[in-house]
Amino acid sequence: MTHAMLKGSNVPLEVTTVRAVLRWTPGQGVPDVDASALLLGPDGRVRSDEDFVFYNQPRHPSGQVWRLGKKRVAEGLTDTIQTDLAGVEAGVGQILLVASADGVTFDRVRDLRILLYDAAAADGDPLAYFDVKPETGAETALICGELYRRGEGWKFRALGEGYSDGLKGLATDFGISVDESEAMAEPAPTPEVSQPLPPEQPTTAVPPQPSYGYPQQPPPTQPAYGYPQPTSQPATAQSGYGYPPPVTAPAQPGEFRLPPQGPQFIGR
């Protein structure tokens, strides 16, 4: 017989191995849901971080609680935690069965239900089920129910208690040490720095700058048409036909010289 449970109700479990299945209906905008379990000691807290079974640690060191993983079934998607109740260590009095959605609130998760099966019966009907309803809709993690000891046996209680700070907040509340340095965070985008445009180059030639502090020699002037360029002497009269003017020594006092003459032709 399958028990349809209400929040706060409990049911005895007459099985040795129980399979707790979280099931929900996928769709547009519906987040993925992960199942996890926390094994609690007599003080209601984990004994160590190894008592946390989740996607990054899918099996308890004792081998008695493990995560089976996700499947697609006719009714939707599932994620499953299986527990060998007969082999659970005596120091564990409660096992919390948790659903979490990565940064998305449970008001967007449709038809969330936890179902308990006898793992020894391959195709049997569920022993019990509980439709999990978030109280505020802002929860990102929910304790769907708990397996707990009662005398020599085990029971299941339907809870539906929510946390708005996700699986991290829930785990911390029960004694899990969360390393802040390993928290997944988006790298801050590197701001784009606008580079100034280079200044416009002057239209006139700029003399080269001295190298290593020494003045550079001015570049040699190329002669035009193969003739030497005038030096930095006082300007002299330009001769015609592109020939350089003759260089004449200054006349001494009292000395008389004829002006330069062209070629002399002697007639016969």
Side-chain angles (χ1 to χ4, degrees), residues 74-94:
E75 297 85 355
L77 294 176
T78 67
D79 199 4
T80 303
I81 297 287
Q82 187 157 309
T83 304
D84 181 359
L85 296 175
V88 174
E89 301 156 284
V92 176
Q94 296 168 267

Side-chain angles (χ1 to χ4, degrees), residues 14-173:
E14 305 294 338
V15 298
T16 57
T17 305
V18 65
R19 188 168 69 249
V21 179
L22 282 176
R23 192 181 74 196
W24 68 98
T25 301
Q28 183 70 29
V30 177
D32 199 20
V33 177
D34 294 300
S36 55
L38 285 89
L39 287 71
L40 308 182
D43 60 353
R45 295 171 66 83
V46 298
R47 300 163 299 170
S48 73
D49 289 354
E50 292 181 336
D51 283 342
F52 187 22
V53 177
F54 67 119
Y55 45 81
N56 281 342
Q57 188 170 272
R59 192 176 188 90
H60 190 264
S62 67
Q64 307 307 309
V65 182
W66 65 98
R67 188 170 179 263
L68 291 179
K70 298 182 180 179
K71 291 176 62 177
R72 182 177 290 276
V73 297
E75 297 85 355
L77 294 176
T78 67
D79 199 4
T80 303
I81 297 287
Q82 187 157 309
T83 304
D84 181 359
L85 296 175
V88 174
E89 301 156 284
V92 176
Q94 296 168 267
I95 300 174
L96 302 183
L97 302 172
V98 176
S100 61
D102 187 15
V104 182
T105 55
F106 268 92
D107 60 350
R108 296 171 61 180
V109 179
R110 298 186 297 172
D111 308 320
L112 181 64
R113 174 178 285 189
I114 185 168
L115 305 100
L116 271 66
Y117 292 87
D118 181 358
D123 298 319
D125 293 332
L127 304 171
Y129 69 87
F130 170 49
D131 290 327
V132 186
K133 305 291 186 183
E135 294 181 349
T136 67
E139 298 90 343
T140 52
L142 290 167
I143 304 175
C144 299
E146 64 172 344
L147 304 169
Y148 65 100
R149 291 185 188 272
R150 180 62 67 194
E152 297 298 319
W154 286 85
K155 286 188 171 185
F156 172 76
R157 179 182 288 120
L159 292 177
E161 297 175 357
Y163 284 74
S164 60
D165 48 358
L167 190 61
K168 173 184 169 183
L170 186 153
T172 303
D173 203 30

Side-chain angles (χ1 to χ4, degrees), residues 195-244:
Q195 297 294 333
L197 294 174
E200 294 184 358
Q201 297 298 324
T203 55
T204 56
V206 178
Q209 298 298 320
S211 176
Y212 305 105
Y214 296 97
Q216 294 186 348
Q217 297 297 325
T221 308
Q222 297 298 324
Y225 304 103
Y227 295 101
Q229 297 293 305
T231 60
S232 56
Q233 298 295 331
T236 56
Q238 297 296 326
S239 62
Y241 306 107
Y243 291 96

